[in-house]
Amino acid sequence: MLQIDMLSKVPVYEQIISQIERLIMLGVLREGDKIPSVRSLALQLSINPNTIQKAVSIMDQRGIIMSASGRGCFVRPGACEVIKQERRQQLGTLKEQLSELKLAGITAAELHAFIDELYSEGVDENDRNQGNK
Amino acid sequence: MLQIDMLSKVPVYEQIISQIERLIMLGVLREGDKIPSVRSLALQLSINPNTIQKAVSIMDQRGIIMSASGRGCFVRPGACEVIKQERRQQLGTLKEQLSELKLAGITAAELHAFIDELYSEGVDENDRNQGNK
Amino acid sequence: MLQIDMLSKVPVYEQIISQIERLIMLGVLREGDKIPSVRSLALQLSINPNTIQKAVSIMDQRGIIMSASGRGCFVRPGACEVIKQERRQQLGTLKEQLSELKLAGITAAELHAFIDELYSEGVDENDRNQGNK
Amino acid sequence: MLQIDMLSKVPVYEQIISQIERLIMLGVLREGDKIPSVRSLALQLSINPNTIQKAVSIMDQRGIIMSASGRGCFVRPGACEVIKQERRQQLGTLKEQLSELKLAGITAAELHAFIDELYSEGVDENDRNQGNK
DNA sequence: GTGGTCTAGACCACT
DNA sequence: GTGGTCTAGACCACC
């Protein structure tokens, strides 16, 4: 279900979070759905349970999931909205990066083309997403 | 000349590197120019000399500057090209980020507008850059 | 595993780098393998951890290893290629040195003999290297 | 007469030494010839006199030149032999470098070709050198 | 004065 | 435990 890249610099717990968020945005995990248990994920990904637990507690705190002790974790109603809001805040970070690329001589046209390409390729993904809106 | 944000998560030495790279791309520092000495920067920014040294050593390795004991550090001929190449590689990173934003429901139109705004505001900076081409 | 010559003029961290690179080229360390931790190496070689860290950080930048906080350092896929490329660039340096030897009256025949001797002695090492290809 | 590369990592005083040695080996400077004064070289190369002085005193110590106070510096009789001896000792250093290249997969054939190329191109230089033998 | 290496020791985030 | 950043201070070679 999840795939962890051990050669990435991105912390494992962040990889877990963003992948689960992605599954939610894609509609694979819907609001109210149960999330695999910490122990099963730890076994399955051969990762330290503490790492999974960290991801879970962060998502819990952000309002993306709710963990009911003894019963497991569930996607919280409204999780999609929370995630969308998070991501919009990332636009600020994006701005700094783009201004560096601008200095590097990358033209606006190049970026526009880049975006169009990105948005045209994964149309099917977007469609699946509609169901979760 | 340089401004360091001690509260930022991005390491001080990286801030130094990207700011010097910025000065080079802007044409403020030209190829062959001498860069302020490690110790003077350390005093000026009230940062430990070792931290500056780290930045210098990395830029040296990357081919952006040339540092020689007793003589100082100089912007290498071809530094601009190296920097541009680095930045272009960042387009790969950008792709992953954008695909997350896409999932978050941010439209291509929004991003296009974002880019246009960014490229229209700093026209004066672009003009100064012409001299370094 | 590694041996450091504290009396050598070549910096300790460079000795570490070239020895690890050597182990990789010999196939002792293979792509994906874990490298001994910074602290353990520091203890074992009785060298300050910062010095090891410097070596690690440089190898990371060069694409020879992949280092991730909390997980450790691993030989990167493709490390061999990077190392080979580095070494080939050293051919340029070699040229300058040889031209000095040439001026000193050392004949081409002498150098040819020198090379043949070098390439004939370590045949066993070459065999071990085959496995890593 | 001499050319200093300010962008090189090689210390200026070493550049001076090796270039003067080169002129001697080429027969441009012959045994007994006067070497340009410290002050004139310093002016001409726009280099700190102390640096030139360092080069001079090292060459003096090695027996390549003799400095007669008040009269200047002269190429010592037998300088060529001293230089040749020095360079032969560098063969040891060469061995280590070559063994690294060997590990990098550079074949003996490649090196042989490299040497042949080097020894064929500068025939004229060798001819000039004959006169000094 | 310049850059470069190394040590010692602290602190942080990640597993 | 892992790697990564930073400080403080020492020492070196070079100019």
Side-chain angles (χ1 to χ4, degrees):
Chain A
M1 196 166 178
L2 303 185
Q3 284 180 343
I4 301 303
D5 177 8
M6 294 302 286
L7 289 184
S8 165
K9 295 247 184 213
V10 179
V12 172
Y13 79 95
E14 280 190 10
Q15 291 186 43
I16 296 172
I17 293 176
S18 61
Q19 289 206 30
I20 290 187
E21 285 186 349
R22 193 166 179 278
L23 290 176
I24 294 175
M25 292 308 289
L26 285 172
V28 177
L29 285 175
R30 290 165 173 265
E31 305 181 342
D33 281 0
K34 188 170 182 301
I35 285 179
S37 77
V38 169
R39 273 167 302 174
S40 71
L41 275 178
L43 278 177
Q44 177 185 336
L45 304 173
S46 58
I47 277 179
N48 190 314
N50 292 328
T51 305
I52 314 269
Q53 186 54 51
K54 182 169 186 174
V56 162
S57 60
I58 289 178
M59 286 187 293
D60 187 9
Q61 182 191 343
R62 285 190 191 161
I64 293 170
I65 64 176
M66 49 186 298
S67 60
S69 57
R71 275 176 300 158
C73 297
F74 302 87
V75 178
R76 212 168 211 159
C80 269
E81 281 314 308
V82 174
I83 295 173
K84 283 184 187 173
Q85 217 171 350
E86 280 176 13
R87 302 263 160 110
R88 282 200 175 267
Q89 289 178 340
Q90 290 182 6
L91 277 176
T93 315
L94 191 65
K95 190 171 181 180
E96 297 174 10
Q97 282 190 22
L98 288 181
S99 65
E100 282 194 349
L101 292 178
K102 178 183 165 191
L103 274 178
I106 290 177
T107 65
E110 270 182 285
L111 290 176
H112 285 310
F114 194 69
I115 289 171
D116 286 334
E117 182 193 355
L118 191 67
Y119 270 77
S120 62
E121 56 187 38
V123 180
D124 41 3
E125 282 189 354
N126 251 340
D127 288 344
R128 251 193 290 165
N129 189 19
Q130 301 300 324
N132 195 24
K133 212 170 187 175
Chain B
M1 200 166 179
L2 305 185
Q3 285 181 342
I4 301 303
D5 176 10
M6 295 302 286
L7 299 182
S8 164
K9 283 179 192 174
V10 29
V12 174
Y13 74 88
E14 278 190 13
Q15 292 184 44
I16 296 171
I17 292 176
S18 61
Q19 289 206 31
I20 290 187
E21 285 185 347
R22 191 173 169 276
L23 290 176
I24 293 175
M25 292 309 290
L26 284 173
V28 178
L29 286 174
R30 287 160 176 268
E31 304 185 340
D33 280 1
K34 192 173 181 302
I35 285 178
S37 81
V38 170
R39 286 167 172 81
S40 72
L41 277 179
L43 276 178
Q44 179 185 334
L45 304 173
S46 56
I47 279 178
N48 188 293
N50 284 330
T51 304
I52 314 275
Q53 180 64 40
K54 185 169 186 173
V56 159
S57 148
I58 291 177
M59 286 189 290
D60 183 38
Q61 264 191 258
R62 288 193 189 161
I64 294 170
I65 67 173
M66 207 290 127
S67 63
S69 234
R71 278 172 272 171
C73 296
F74 304 86
V75 178
R76 253 203 187 135
C80 274
E81 279 314 308
V82 175
I83 297 172
K84 282 185 187 173
Q85 225 172 345
E86 280 176 15
R87 305 281 205 229
R88 284 193 180 269
Q89 285 180 339
Q90 291 185 3
L91 274 177
T93 314
L94 190 64
K95 191 170 182 179
E96 298 173 11
Q97 282 190 24
L98 288 182
S99 67
E100 286 196 348
L101 292 179
K102 177 184 163 193
L103 270 180
I106 292 178
T107 65
E110 266 183 289
L111 289 175
H112 286 311
F114 194 71
I115 289 171
D116 285 334
E117 181 192 357
L118 191 66
Y119 271 77
S120 62
E121 55 186 37
V123 180
D124 40 5
E125 280 190 355
N126 253 340
D127 289 344
R128 247 192 295 164
N129 192 18
Q130 300 300 326
N132 196 25
K133 206 171 182 180
Chain C
M1 199 166 178
L2 305 185
Q3 284 180 342
I4 300 305
D5 176 10
M6 295 303 286
L7 300 181
S8 163
K9 283 180 190 171
V10 27
V12 173
Y13 73 89
E14 279 191 13
Q15 292 184 43
I16 296 171
I17 293 176
S18 59
Q19 289 205 32
I20 289 186
E21 285 185 347
R22 190 172 168 276
L23 290 177
I24 294 175
M25 292 308 290
L26 284 173
V28 177
L29 287 174
R30 286 162 176 268
E31 306 184 339
D33 279 1
K34 192 172 181 303
I35 285 178
S37 81
V38 169
R39 286 167 171 82
S40 71
L41 277 178
L43 276 179
Q44 178 184 336
L45 304 173
S46 57
I47 279 178
N48 189 293
N50 283 330
T51 304
I52 314 274
Q53 179 64 40
K54 185 169 186 174
V56 159
S57 149
I58 290 176
M59 286 189 291
D60 184 40
Q61 264 192 255
R62 289 193 189 161
I64 294 170
I65 66 174
M66 208 289 128
S67 63
S69 236
R71 278 173 272 171
C73 297
F74 305 85
V75 178
R76 252 201 187 136
C80 274
E81 279 315 307
V82 175
I83 296 173
K84 282 185 187 174
Q85 225 172 346
E86 282 178 13
R87 305 280 206 230
R88 284 192 180 271
Q89 285 180 338
Q90 291 185 3
L91 274 177
T93 315
L94 191 66
K95 190 170 181 178
E96 298 173 10
Q97 283 190 23
L98 288 181
S99 67
E100 286 194 347
L101 292 179
K102 176 183 164 192
L103 271 180
I106 291 176
T107 65
E110 265 183 289
L111 290 176
H112 285 311
F114 194 71
I115 289 171
D116 285 334
E117 181 192 357
L118 192 66
Y119 271 78
S120 62
E121 55 186 39
V123 180
D124 42 3
E125 281 189 354
N126 252 340
D127 288 344
R128 246 191 296 164
N129 191 19
Q130 301 301 327
N132 195 24
K133 205 170 180 182
Chain D
M1 197 167 176
L2 303 185
Q3 284 181 342
I4 301 303
D5 177 9
M6 294 304 285
L7 288 185
S8 166
K9 294 247 183 211
V10 179
V12 173
Y13 80 94
E14 278 189 11
Q15 291 186 43
I16 296 172
I17 293 177
S18 62
Q19 289 206 31
I20 289 187
E21 284 186 349
R22 193 166 181 279
L23 291 176
I24 293 175
M25 292 308 289
L26 285 172
V28 177
L29 284 175
R30 290 162 174 266
E31 305 182 341
D33 279 1
K34 189 171 182 301
I35 285 178
S37 79
V38 169
R39 274 167 302 173
S40 70
L41 276 178
L43 278 177
Q44 177 186 334
L45 305 173
S46 59
I47 277 180
N48 189 313
N50 292 328
T51 304
I52 314 271
Q53 186 55 49
K54 181 169 186 173
V56 161
S57 59
I58 288 178
M59 286 188 291
D60 187 10
Q61 182 191 341
R62 284 189 191 164
I64 293 170
I65 64 175
M66 50 186 299
S67 61
S69 60
R71 276 175 300 158
C73 296
F74 302 87
V75 178
R76 212 168 210 157
C80 270
E81 281 314 308
V82 174
I83 295 172
K84 284 183 186 173
Q85 219 172 348
E86 279 177 12
R87 303 262 160 111
R88 281 197 176 269
Q89 289 177 341
Q90 291 183 4
L91 278 176
T93 314
L94 190 65
K95 189 172 180 178
E96 297 174 10
Q97 283 190 21
L98 288 181
S99 64
E100 281 194 349
L101 293 178
K102 178 183 164 191
L103 274 178
I106 291 178
T107 64
E110 271 182 285
L111 289 176
H112 286 310
F114 195 68
I115 289 171
D116 285 334
E117 182 193 356
L118 191 68
Y119 271 77
S120 63
E121 56 186 35
V123 180
D124 41 4
E125 281 189 355
N126 253 339
D127 289 344
R128 252 194 290 165
N129 190 18
Q130 301 299 325
N132 196 24
K133 214 169 188 174

